[in-house]
Each structure stands twice: as structure tokens, then as C-alpha cells.
Amino acid sequence: MRYTTAGESHGRALVAIVSDVPAGVSLDAASIDAELVRRQIGYGRGGRMKIESDRAIVLSGVRFGRTIGSPVALTIGNRDWDNWTDVMSVWGSDEDVARLTAPRPGHADLAGCQKTGAGDIRDILERASARETAARVASGAIAKALLRHLGVSVESFVQSIGDVALVEGHDISKVDAVVVEASDVRCPDDAVAARMRSAIDMAKEAGESLGGVFVVLAKGLVPGLGGYAQADQRLDAKLGSAVFSIPAIKGVEFGDGFALAARPGSHAHDAIRYSPDAGVQRDTNRAGGLEGGMTNGEILVVRAAMKPIPTLMTPLASFDLVSGAAVDASRERSDVCAVPAAAVVAEAEVALVLASAYAAKFGGDCVSDMIAALDAYRARLAP
Ligand SMILES: Cc1cc2nc3c(=O)[nH]c(=O)nc-3n(C[C@H](O)[C@H](O)[C@H](O)COP(=O)(O)O)c2cc1C
């Protein structure tokens, strides 16, 4: 399953085309829109989130609530478009439109203008803006719908915002998805969540922004998804690439990741037990569900670090692209912290990779064939 997107942040609409969707996936508009809403909410989001209430309109690939094996095309309207018809006019003139010429450190502004020769940073930021991730989340909703047929769920929680974090070694298996969904910072611990909100308030007050760390979990996976035989089959590489494709993600690890480097081998790997009744079992999941480029049947644990939002209300130094004079970086309406939203985007990216991995192993033409192949595989693996 693969997707491509189009659309500018303040243009008429976002567009996504999702290809290689098996026939027979049950879909409904409400579940796609529910994912879009999950991406929108979150403590620390900017004013725009109050304007936009995202809804996907599916244009193709679905008939009577089921995919038919053709590409699924969808659009998500930009509710603010009416206020931007001059600035984002497709055919009009830029004569009376103020140009943005003070690039923001940490954003695509400067390198984007250098790369394309643009004289107005808006040409760059409209597409580099994370508004585009709404189209990814809608695409991911289709992948999640397929995964539901296969008994797989993908969820996430926020581990830290700024320097406020869950206690080290927080037990991932005890994270309650209901509590996370009810939390506007996607944090499973109410006391830590309150401190995260205070940190965001303080950052906002100071014209600052915050990043953080989130975790994506995928449950119900069979072992053997991905591959060990070629570089481009390795599931860790695909997952890493997908999560790194999200703007502002600067680190990705699986399971205990970087911490493994400092441990002796006996404390880095997950001993294997077998019993004829229960089959293969592990007491630990330091590998985060991946060994040798494949799933190993444990919960997939993907952890990602997001840098702080680059748009600052107390801007960093920059320069004017036209005059060369030192100026403050430009300001756009902006989030103070978008870590909870980024976690939802990462769920979508992970779901798309996993859906493709299932299609590669169990056939991607139709859901019923996939389920039959999956059942046969499970029967072969059964103790
Ligand atoms: C969900 C989400 C929301 C974001 N919101 C903003 C924002 O409001 N303002 C901003 O300057 N950057 C925002 N960002 C971050 C920028 O998109 C990102 O920092 C920028 O593209 C540069 O990051 P890069 O160097 O990783 O490409 C957001 C990112 C995500 C994932």
C-alpha cells in the first residue's frame, strides 16, 4: 500500500491517492474522520486547529463501504481557504500580495528558497507545513482498516514533552489506550500529563516551543513480516524511513534502541522459551518486536523524538532574503507543541508500512485471500 499527496497548507484542499489497496476492506467515512480529529486535537496546538475540522471526501476506490481494489483517492478541504483565495490564488497576480522573506531557522524556508529559487518563502512553507500530514493520516486510516481485518491494532502514547517525562522504564504493556485517548497530551499518566500541560503553558508564555518523544505500538502482528534476505526487505528500515518522513522527527528507535548499545548481550536480547501448549514466548521485549529485519511476534515498539516547533513567537535571528539585512525570523500562526499530533501521524505511517508487509506476505488482491493465507500461516506456526 503506498500513498502520494498534494495540496498546500492554505490552498483549496489536500489530496491523497492510496494505491495497492486490497479489495474487500470495510471502510466508513466516520472512522477516517475520527483519525483526522485525533491528529487535530492536542494541548499546545495553534489557532488553526480551531478553524479546521477535517473531513475526508472519498472520490474513488470504495463502493458500498468496501474497497474494490482500485486506488482510493480522497480530498480534505481546507476550511480556512476562503480567507486565503487572494494569497493562494491559482491564476491571479501576486502584485498586491506581501512576500515572506525572513526564513525561520529549523524550517524548510531557507534551503527550500535556495533549492527552488523562490523569492517568497510562502512558496515553500505552504507545502513543507505539517498540514500535509492530515492527508497521511487519512491514508493511514485505510491501512488501519485493512489491519483490523487481520487482527492488528496500531496505537500511540506520548512519553515526554520538553523535559517532562514518564518515569524511566515505564511499563509499556500497562499503557491504557482509553486513558491515552482521553488525554489531550496523549499521556497515560494523569499527573505527568498535568506537568506536560504546565510546561506547554510556560513555553507559550515565553514565546517558546517544545518537542518531545512518543511511542507507537502495533499489537497482534504475526512473526516473519519484512525480510532478512535483502536490504530493502528489512522492516526496521521501512518503518524507520516512514517515521523519519514526518516533519520534525529527528530520532527513531525500536524497543530499547540506543540503550542497548551500553548493555552486555545477556541484557540486550530477549530469551526464547517454548512450551508445546503456549508455543514461543518471551519474558522481555527489548528488541521492540523486530529481529533480523522481521517482526518476531512481539508487540512492535517504535519510539520517535520530535524537535521543538521552529516557528517561535519570540523569533530567532535571521536575515532578509531580498536586502540581506539582519531581521527576526517570520511568524506564522503556529503550534507551541505538536508531539501528540505527530504520534497520530506516526501511527498512520506505521500502519501503512505494516499493511504493505502483510500484503507482501499474504497477497494483496483481496482481504478474504489474505485472511485465508494468514490462517494457514498461523496454523503452520501453531505449537
Ligand atoms: C503534526 C505536526 C504539526 C506541526 N506544526 C507546526 C507548526 O505549527 N509550526 C511550525 O513551525 N512547525 C510545525 N511542525 C514542524 C514542521 O513541520 C517541521 O519542523 C519543519 O518541516 C522542519 O522540520 P524538518 O527539519 O524535520 O523538516 C509540525 C510538525 C508536525 C509533525
Side-chain angles (χ1 to χ4, degrees):
M1 211 181 267
R2 59 207 158 86
Y3 72 86
T4 189
T5 73
E8 278 79 38
S9 180
H10 296 97
R12 185 184 292 273
L14 298 170
V15 179
I17 297 180
V18 190
S19 308
D20 302 338
V21 182
V25 178
S26 300
L27 263 186
D28 61 273
S31 60
I32 301 176
D33 291 346
E35 291 294 328
L36 291 173
V37 168
R38 290 176 75 234
R39 189 201 73 97
Q40 286 187 279
I41 53 182
Y43 202 78
R45 305 304 303 279
R48 174 156 198 185
M49 297 306 132
K50 296 181 185 90
I51 298 167
E52 307 270 346
S53 177
D54 286 335
R55 295 276 173 275
I57 298 171
V58 175
L59 302 176
S60 74
V62 181
R63 217 173 151 231
F64 308 127
R66 286 162 75 83
T67 59
I68 54 172
S70 32
V72 177
L74 55 87
T75 69
I76 304 162
N78 287 325
R79 297 286 170 106
D80 207 14
W81 160 245
D82 289 344
N83 298 319
W84 288 82
T85 48
D86 291 341
V87 176
M88 294 303 294
S89 171
V90 174
W91 305 119
S93 153
D94 63 1
E95 229 167 87
D96 298 325
V97 175
R99 282 197 288 160
L100 283 179
T101 53
R104 292 162 299 171
H107 224 303
D109 301 357
L110 178 57
C113 283
Q114 289 169 327
K115 177 182 171 70
T116 64
D120 182 352
I121 291 168
R122 187 160 297 288
D123 285 357
I124 310 304
L125 74 84
E126 282 290 329
R127 183 64 187 157
S129 151
R131 171 77 186 140
E132 185 262 352
T133 60
R136 302 187 193 203
V137 167
S139 306
I142 298 165
K144 282 186 172 185
L146 169 62
L147 292 173
R148 270 195 291 276
H149 285 283
L150 308 173
V152 176
S153 64
V154 181
E155 49 197 70
S156 67
F157 66 91
V158 170
Q159 177 180 304
S160 68
I161 287 178
D163 62 3
V164 180
L166 292 168
V167 286
E168 189 117 356
H170 187 84
D171 188 350
I172 283 175
S173 67
K174 297 218 167 73
V175 168
D176 184 338
V178 177
V179 175
V180 172
E181 289 309 311
S183 163
D184 56 7
V185 282
R186 300 194 65 73
C187 178
D189 182 313
D190 285 344
V192 178
R195 287 171 43 223
M196 286 174 171
R197 280 191 287 274
S198 301
I200 293 168
D201 288 342
M202 273 164 29
K204 186 171 185 181
E205 191 95 345
E208 272 289 359
S209 64
L210 292 177
V213 173
F214 60 81
V215 180
V216 177
L217 306 172
K219 299 176 178 170
L221 298 167
V222 286
L225 299 169
Y228 58 89
Q230 291 289 359
D232 62 359
Q233 294 169 350
R234 291 184 63 94
L235 200 64
D236 15 22
K238 291 181 186 188
L239 288 164
S241 169
V243 176
F244 268 127
S245 78
I246 302 167
I249 299 306
K250 295 297 141 200
V252 177
E253 65 177 15
F254 301 103
D256 289 359
F258 272 64
L260 294 174
R263 293 187 204 153
S266 58
H267 289 73
H269 305 298
D270 306 300
I272 305 170
R273 286 189 292 116
Y274 176 80
S275 77
D277 293 336
V280 171
Q281 285 187 306
R282 316 267 188 148
D283 294 330
T284 55
N285 185 19
R286 294 158 174 154
L290 292 169
E291 288 174 307
M294 296 165 289
T295 52
N296 65 3
E298 300 299 310
I299 294 173
L300 175 69
V301 183
V302 186
R303 188 173 284 101
M306 182 180 194
K307 71 181 183 182
I309 298 286
T311 306
L312 298 174
M313 293 308 132
T314 310
L316 288 175
S318 185
F319 78 106
D320 186 278
L321 289 177
V322 179
S323 69
V327 292
D328 285 345
S330 66
R331 280 173 276 195
E332 283 271 313
R333 186 175 48 210
S334 180
D335 301 326
V336 175
C337 172
V339 179
V344 174
V345 179
E347 284 181 27
E349 289 289 349
V350 167
L352 284 154
V353 171
L354 293 176
S356 296
Y358 268 93
K361 178 138 181 61
F362 300 108
D365 286 339
C366 72
V367 170
S368 53
D369 285 357
M370 290 178 85
I371 291 172
L374 179 61
D375 288 346
Y377 182 62
R378 281 214 174 97
R380 175 163 74 73
L381 295 180

